[in-house]
Short mmCIF file of all heavy atoms in Angstrom, two decimals:
data_model
loop_
_atom_site.label_atom_id
_atom_site.label_comp_id
_atom_site.label_asym_id
_atom_site.label_seq_id
_atom_site.Cartn_x
_atom_site.Cartn_y
_atom_site.Cartn_z
N MET A 1 62.01 79.75 52.62
CA MET A 1 60.68 80.55 52.52
C MET A 1 59.62 79.75 51.82
O MET A 1 59.85 79.15 50.73
CB MET A 1 60.93 81.89 51.86
CG MET A 1 62.01 82.70 52.53
SD MET A 1 61.47 83.49 54.02
CE MET A 1 60.63 84.90 53.38
N ASP A 2 58.45 79.74 52.45
CA ASP A 2 57.41 78.95 51.84
C ASP A 2 56.20 79.96 51.42
O ASP A 2 55.66 80.56 52.37
CB ASP A 2 56.80 77.88 52.82
CG ASP A 2 55.73 76.97 52.25
OD1 ASP A 2 55.10 77.50 51.32
OD2 ASP A 2 55.75 75.83 52.62
N GLU A 3 56.09 80.11 50.16
CA GLU A 3 54.96 81.06 49.69
C GLU A 3 53.94 80.28 48.96
O GLU A 3 53.50 80.69 47.86
CB GLU A 3 55.64 82.17 48.82
CG GLU A 3 56.54 83.12 49.58
CD GLU A 3 56.91 84.25 48.69
OE1 GLU A 3 55.95 84.89 48.18
OE2 GLU A 3 58.07 84.50 48.55
N THR A 4 53.37 79.18 49.54
CA THR A 4 52.31 78.54 48.89
C THR A 4 51.08 79.36 48.81
O THR A 4 50.61 79.93 47.79
CB THR A 4 52.05 77.23 49.62
OG1 THR A 4 51.95 77.54 51.05
CG2 THR A 4 53.14 76.24 49.35
N SER A 5 50.31 79.53 50.01
CA SER A 5 49.21 80.35 50.01
C SER A 5 49.15 81.18 51.31
O SER A 5 49.60 80.70 52.40
CB SER A 5 47.91 79.54 49.99
OG SER A 5 47.88 78.73 51.12
N PRO A 6 48.83 82.47 51.21
CA PRO A 6 48.78 83.24 52.39
C PRO A 6 47.80 82.75 53.34
O PRO A 6 46.67 82.33 53.10
CB PRO A 6 48.31 84.72 51.75
CG PRO A 6 47.71 84.32 50.47
CD PRO A 6 48.22 83.13 49.98
N GLN A 7 48.19 82.82 54.60
CA GLN A 7 47.40 82.27 55.72
C GLN A 7 46.56 83.34 56.25
O GLN A 7 46.28 83.44 57.48
CB GLN A 7 48.40 81.71 56.75
CG GLN A 7 48.98 80.35 56.26
CD GLN A 7 48.05 79.33 55.91
OE1 GLN A 7 47.03 78.99 56.69
NE2 GLN A 7 47.95 78.85 54.65
N TYR A 8 46.14 84.39 55.51
CA TYR A 8 45.33 85.38 56.02
C TYR A 8 43.92 85.26 55.43
O TYR A 8 43.73 85.08 54.30
CB TYR A 8 45.92 86.72 55.66
CG TYR A 8 47.32 86.96 56.40
CD1 TYR A 8 48.49 86.86 55.68
CD2 TYR A 8 47.29 87.34 57.64
CE1 TYR A 8 49.68 87.03 56.36
CE2 TYR A 8 48.49 87.59 58.31
CZ TYR A 8 49.66 87.41 57.69
OH TYR A 8 50.88 87.63 58.30
N ALA A 9 42.94 85.66 56.30
CA ALA A 9 41.56 85.70 55.82
C ALA A 9 41.40 86.86 54.78
O ALA A 9 42.10 87.86 54.83
CB ALA A 9 40.64 85.97 57.01
N GLU A 10 40.31 86.62 53.89
CA GLU A 10 40.11 87.64 52.97
C GLU A 10 39.13 88.68 53.55
O GLU A 10 38.25 88.30 54.25
CB GLU A 10 39.46 86.92 51.69
CG GLU A 10 40.36 86.16 50.88
CD GLU A 10 39.69 85.62 49.65
OE1 GLU A 10 38.41 85.60 49.60
OE2 GLU A 10 40.35 85.32 48.65
N CYS A 11 39.29 89.89 53.04
CA CYS A 11 38.37 91.02 53.48
C CYS A 11 37.04 90.57 52.93
O CYS A 11 36.92 90.22 51.61
CB CYS A 11 38.84 92.19 53.00
SG CYS A 11 37.77 93.61 53.15
N VAL A 12 35.92 90.75 53.69
CA VAL A 12 34.59 90.43 53.26
C VAL A 12 34.22 91.39 52.18
O VAL A 12 33.17 91.14 51.49
CB VAL A 12 33.55 90.28 54.36
CG1 VAL A 12 34.02 89.13 55.38
CG2 VAL A 12 33.51 91.56 55.21
N LEU A 13 34.76 92.54 52.11
CA LEU A 13 34.25 93.63 51.19
C LEU A 13 35.08 93.58 49.95
O LEU A 13 34.44 93.70 48.80
CB LEU A 13 34.31 94.93 51.91
CG LEU A 13 33.41 95.11 53.13
CD1 LEU A 13 33.62 96.50 53.67
CD2 LEU A 13 32.01 94.84 52.73
N CYS A 14 36.32 93.59 49.90
CA CYS A 14 37.13 93.68 48.71
C CYS A 14 37.99 92.45 48.43
O CYS A 14 38.61 92.46 47.36
CB CYS A 14 37.95 94.94 48.86
SG CYS A 14 39.30 94.81 50.11
N ARG A 15 37.91 91.52 49.19
CA ARG A 15 38.53 90.21 48.98
C ARG A 15 40.07 90.35 49.05
O ARG A 15 40.87 89.40 48.62
CB ARG A 15 38.17 89.67 47.57
CG ARG A 15 36.76 89.09 47.59
CD ARG A 15 36.55 88.09 48.58
NE ARG A 15 35.19 87.43 48.40
CZ ARG A 15 34.80 86.40 49.19
NH1 ARG A 15 35.61 85.96 50.10
NH2 ARG A 15 33.50 85.89 49.02
N LYS A 16 40.51 91.34 49.59
CA LYS A 16 42.04 91.45 49.74
C LYS A 16 42.43 90.88 51.02
O LYS A 16 41.68 90.71 51.92
CB LYS A 16 42.52 92.97 49.76
CG LYS A 16 42.30 93.68 48.41
CD LYS A 16 42.77 95.08 48.47
CE LYS A 16 42.62 95.74 47.20
NZ LYS A 16 42.97 97.18 47.20
N PRO A 17 43.67 90.40 51.15
CA PRO A 17 44.16 89.79 52.33
C PRO A 17 44.19 90.77 53.50
O PRO A 17 44.50 91.92 53.27
CB PRO A 17 45.50 89.33 52.04
CG PRO A 17 45.95 90.05 50.81
CD PRO A 17 44.69 90.43 50.18
N THR A 18 43.74 90.25 54.61
CA THR A 18 43.64 91.09 55.82
C THR A 18 44.89 90.89 56.73
O THR A 18 45.78 90.10 56.38
CB THR A 18 42.45 90.84 56.66
OG1 THR A 18 42.49 89.53 57.22
CG2 THR A 18 41.17 90.92 55.73
N GLU A 19 45.04 91.47 57.81
CA GLU A 19 46.03 91.21 58.81
C GLU A 19 45.61 90.07 59.71
O GLU A 19 46.43 89.73 60.71
CB GLU A 19 46.25 92.49 59.58
CG GLU A 19 46.73 93.64 58.74
CD GLU A 19 47.00 94.86 59.48
OE1 GLU A 19 46.24 95.09 60.58
OE2 GLU A 19 47.85 95.67 59.20
N TYR A 20 44.45 89.50 59.52
CA TYR A 20 44.00 88.41 60.47
C TYR A 20 44.28 87.04 59.84
O TYR A 20 44.14 86.94 58.70
CB TYR A 20 42.50 88.66 60.70
CG TYR A 20 42.17 90.08 61.31
CD1 TYR A 20 41.75 91.06 60.41
CD2 TYR A 20 42.38 90.38 62.61
CE1 TYR A 20 41.46 92.27 60.95
CE2 TYR A 20 42.09 91.63 63.06
CZ TYR A 20 41.66 92.58 62.24
OH TYR A 20 41.44 93.86 62.74
N PRO A 21 44.50 86.20 60.75
CA PRO A 21 44.67 84.68 60.27
C PRO A 21 43.31 84.12 59.66
O PRO A 21 42.29 84.57 60.09
CB PRO A 21 45.13 83.98 61.48
CG PRO A 21 44.66 84.78 62.68
CD PRO A 21 44.53 86.20 62.13
N GLU A 22 43.54 83.10 58.87
CA GLU A 22 42.32 82.53 58.14
C GLU A 22 41.41 81.90 59.26
O GLU A 22 40.27 81.73 59.02
CB GLU A 22 42.83 81.45 57.22
CG GLU A 22 42.42 81.74 55.75
CD GLU A 22 42.96 80.84 54.85
OE1 GLU A 22 43.77 79.89 55.22
OE2 GLU A 22 42.60 80.87 53.63
N SER A 23 42.02 81.51 60.42
CA SER A 23 41.22 80.83 61.42
C SER A 23 40.27 81.73 62.16
O SER A 23 39.57 81.28 63.08
CB SER A 23 42.16 80.14 62.30
OG SER A 23 43.03 81.05 62.98
N VAL A 24 40.46 83.03 62.00
CA VAL A 24 39.61 84.04 62.74
C VAL A 24 38.21 83.75 62.29
O VAL A 24 37.81 83.53 61.31
CB VAL A 24 40.10 85.47 62.41
CG1 VAL A 24 39.62 85.91 61.06
CG2 VAL A 24 39.51 86.43 63.47
N GLU A 25 37.42 83.96 63.38
CA GLU A 25 35.93 83.73 63.14
C GLU A 25 35.28 85.06 62.81
O GLU A 25 35.68 86.22 63.40
CB GLU A 25 35.30 83.12 64.44
CG GLU A 25 35.75 81.76 64.68
CD GLU A 25 35.04 81.17 65.94
OE1 GLU A 25 34.02 81.69 66.36
OE2 GLU A 25 35.54 80.17 66.36
N GLY A 26 34.12 84.98 62.18
CA GLY A 26 33.37 86.19 61.87
C GLY A 26 33.93 86.92 60.58
O GLY A 26 34.85 86.50 59.98
N ALA A 27 33.41 88.09 60.34
CA ALA A 27 33.71 88.86 59.20
C ALA A 27 35.01 89.62 59.54
O ALA A 27 35.06 90.13 60.59
CB ALA A 27 32.57 89.93 58.79
N VAL A 28 35.84 89.60 58.57
CA VAL A 28 37.15 90.41 58.84
C VAL A 28 37.25 91.45 57.62
O VAL A 28 36.85 91.28 56.52
CB VAL A 28 38.43 89.51 58.79
CG1 VAL A 28 38.21 88.62 60.01
CG2 VAL A 28 38.39 88.62 57.56
N TYR A 29 37.89 92.52 57.98
CA TYR A 29 38.12 93.63 57.00
C TYR A 29 39.57 93.91 56.90
O TYR A 29 40.37 93.73 57.85
CB TYR A 29 37.40 94.91 57.47
CG TYR A 29 35.95 94.69 57.61
CD1 TYR A 29 35.37 94.49 58.93
CD2 TYR A 29 35.11 94.82 56.64
CE1 TYR A 29 34.05 94.29 59.19
CE2 TYR A 29 33.74 94.69 56.79
CZ TYR A 29 33.22 94.33 58.04
OH TYR A 29 31.77 94.23 58.23
N CYS A 30 40.02 94.35 55.69
CA CYS A 30 41.36 94.81 55.43
C CYS A 30 41.47 96.14 56.06
O CYS A 30 40.51 96.76 56.52
CB CYS A 30 41.62 94.86 53.93
SG CYS A 30 40.78 96.11 53.07
N PRO A 31 42.71 96.67 56.32
CA PRO A 31 42.91 97.89 57.04
C PRO A 31 42.06 99.02 56.36
O PRO A 31 41.54 99.83 57.13
CB PRO A 31 44.39 98.14 56.78
CG PRO A 31 44.97 96.76 56.79
CD PRO A 31 43.99 95.91 56.03
N VAL A 32 41.96 99.11 55.01
CA VAL A 32 41.22 100.11 54.31
C VAL A 32 39.71 100.01 54.66
O VAL A 32 39.07 101.00 55.08
CB VAL A 32 41.47 100.00 52.85
CG1 VAL A 32 40.45 101.08 52.12
CG2 VAL A 32 42.93 100.25 52.48
N CYS A 33 39.08 98.80 54.48
CA CYS A 33 37.71 98.71 54.73
C CYS A 33 37.30 98.78 56.21
O CYS A 33 36.34 99.36 56.62
CB CYS A 33 37.28 97.21 54.23
SG CYS A 33 37.27 97.18 52.48
N GLU A 34 38.23 98.40 56.98
CA GLU A 34 38.07 98.51 58.39
C GLU A 34 37.91 99.89 58.94
O GLU A 34 37.19 100.38 59.64
CB GLU A 34 39.27 97.80 59.23
CG GLU A 34 38.92 97.57 60.67
CD GLU A 34 40.04 96.69 61.34
OE1 GLU A 34 41.19 97.14 61.30
OE2 GLU A 34 39.80 95.66 61.85
N TRP A 35 38.83 100.70 58.29
CA TRP A 35 38.78 102.25 58.54
C TRP A 35 37.60 102.84 57.99
O TRP A 35 36.96 103.60 58.76
CB TRP A 35 40.01 102.79 57.91
CG TRP A 35 40.10 104.36 57.99
CD1 TRP A 35 40.65 104.95 59.18
CD2 TRP A 35 39.66 105.26 57.16
NE1 TRP A 35 40.53 106.35 58.95
CE2 TRP A 35 39.95 106.54 57.84
CE3 TRP A 35 38.97 105.33 56.01
CZ2 TRP A 35 39.58 107.83 57.17
CZ3 TRP A 35 38.58 106.49 55.37
CH2 TRP A 35 38.86 107.83 56.04
N GLN A 36 37.17 102.45 56.79
CA GLN A 36 35.92 102.98 56.27
C GLN A 36 34.64 102.55 57.11
O GLN A 36 33.82 103.34 57.33
CB GLN A 36 35.81 102.48 54.86
CG GLN A 36 36.80 103.00 53.95
CD GLN A 36 36.59 102.44 52.46
OE1 GLN A 36 35.88 101.52 52.27
NE2 GLN A 36 37.25 103.20 51.56
N GLU A 37 34.61 101.32 57.60
CA GLU A 37 33.61 100.94 58.45
C GLU A 37 33.59 101.78 59.67
O GLU A 37 32.58 102.09 60.31
CB GLU A 37 33.68 99.42 58.75
CG GLU A 37 33.35 98.55 57.65
CD GLU A 37 31.84 98.62 57.29
OE1 GLU A 37 31.00 98.43 58.19
OE2 GLU A 37 31.49 99.00 56.13
N ALA A 38 34.76 101.99 60.32
CA ALA A 38 34.88 102.87 61.60
C ALA A 38 34.32 104.19 61.33
O ALA A 38 33.65 104.76 62.21
CB ALA A 38 36.31 102.82 61.94
N GLN A 39 34.68 104.74 60.11
CA GLN A 39 34.13 106.13 59.83
C GLN A 39 32.71 106.08 59.64
O GLN A 39 31.96 106.95 60.16
CB GLN A 39 34.79 106.61 58.49
CG GLN A 39 36.30 106.81 58.56
CD GLN A 39 36.64 107.69 59.69
OE1 GLN A 39 36.31 108.92 59.64
NE2 GLN A 39 37.49 107.23 60.54
N ARG A 40 32.08 105.11 58.95
CA ARG A 40 30.75 105.05 58.79
C ARG A 40 30.00 104.87 60.12
O ARG A 40 28.91 105.58 60.40
CB ARG A 40 30.45 103.75 57.95
CG ARG A 40 28.77 103.62 57.72
CD ARG A 40 28.58 102.34 56.99
NE ARG A 40 29.17 102.33 55.54
CZ ARG A 40 29.13 101.38 54.73
NH1 ARG A 40 28.57 100.26 55.12
NH2 ARG A 40 29.64 101.49 53.60
N THR A 41 30.48 104.08 61.05
CA THR A 41 29.88 103.97 62.33
C THR A 41 30.03 105.34 63.11
O THR A 41 29.03 105.59 63.87
CB THR A 41 30.72 102.80 63.17
OG1 THR A 41 30.63 101.65 62.40
CG2 THR A 41 30.05 102.60 64.47
N ALA A 42 31.08 105.87 63.02
CA ALA A 42 31.30 107.17 63.74
C ALA A 42 30.41 108.22 63.28
O ALA A 42 29.86 109.04 64.11
CB ALA A 42 32.77 107.63 63.60
N CYS A 43 29.90 108.21 62.01
CA CYS A 43 29.09 109.15 61.35
C CYS A 43 27.62 108.91 61.55
O CYS A 43 26.75 109.66 61.25
CB CYS A 43 29.49 109.47 59.94
SG CYS A 43 31.06 110.16 59.80
N SER A 44 27.28 107.60 61.83
CA SER A 44 25.89 107.24 61.89
C SER A 44 25.21 107.81 63.16
O SER A 44 25.83 107.96 64.21
CB SER A 44 25.81 105.65 61.87
OG SER A 44 26.19 105.17 63.10
N GLY A 45 23.91 107.99 63.06
CA GLY A 45 23.13 108.47 64.14
C GLY A 45 23.07 109.84 64.29
O GLY A 45 22.61 110.38 65.37
ZN1 LIG B 101 38.67 95.46 52.18
#
């Protein structure tokens, strides 16, 4: 088992590791922030 550094991108909001790989492009959110962003979008307008 190799536990050097997690190969997951950091959440752009809370800096926690996300479920996405570091190589993913653009902003990524952890499950919590992703859910919150979805709620915000759903409530806007
Ligand atoms: Zn987050």
